[in-house]
Amino acid sequence: HLESFFMMVSFGSFSVIPSLVYTFAPYIANALGVANGRNMDTLAISVSVGVTSIVMFLLGAWKSQFYNSNWCMYGVETVGVFAVCVVCAFLVGMGTGSVINSNYP
């Protein structure tokens, strides 16, 4: 059962990365002076997706070490799975939001 503990710790650790980046990206942009009146929500989402994509690519490349395969292909595959998950989450959120908002005039 030690494997399940490590799985829990790994999932908990890596699932926090997008939230932390989304939360602190506007503050870092203001501190560096690169905000310049930009939409902070767009900046935070873009930086969060970008950093998470890099982390996912690195995890995919690391996964290739356990198999006899090309590290680049595993990295791209992992980022592709991440992109599909992001699109599905967005569509479910939009669908749920439209159902909830349709009940209120």
Side-chain angles (χ1 to χ4, degrees):
H1 293 20
L2 190 60
E3 293 89 6
S4 42
F5 173 75
F6 282 116
M7 186 67 156
M8 179 192 69
V9 170
S10 300
F11 181 77
S13 301
F14 283 105
S15 65
V16 178
I17 291 173
S19 300
L20 289 176
V21 173
Y22 180 80
T23 301
F24 293 111
Y27 298 112
I28 294 170
N30 280 330
L32 296 176
V34 297
N36 296 334
R38 292 185 179 144
N39 185 351
M40 285 299 157
D41 287 337
T42 304
L43 175 75
I45 291 281
S46 301
V47 171
S48 180
V49 169
V51 168
T52 307
S53 296
I54 291 169
V55 169
M56 294 301 286
F57 182 85
L58 293 174
L59 286 173
W62 179 64
K63 183 176 83 167
S64 73
Q65 300 299 315
F66 301 106
Y67 302 99
N68 189 14
S69 65
N70 186 351
W71 63 271
C72 188
M73 289 302 294
Y74 266 85
V76 171
E77 174 191 7
T78 306
V79 172
V81 170
F82 167 66
V84 168
C85 290
V86 167
V87 169
C88 288
F90 177 77
L91 293 175
V92 167
M94 290 295 291
T96 304
S98 67
V99 168
I100 291 172
N101 290 335
S102 66
N103 294 332
Y104 298 102

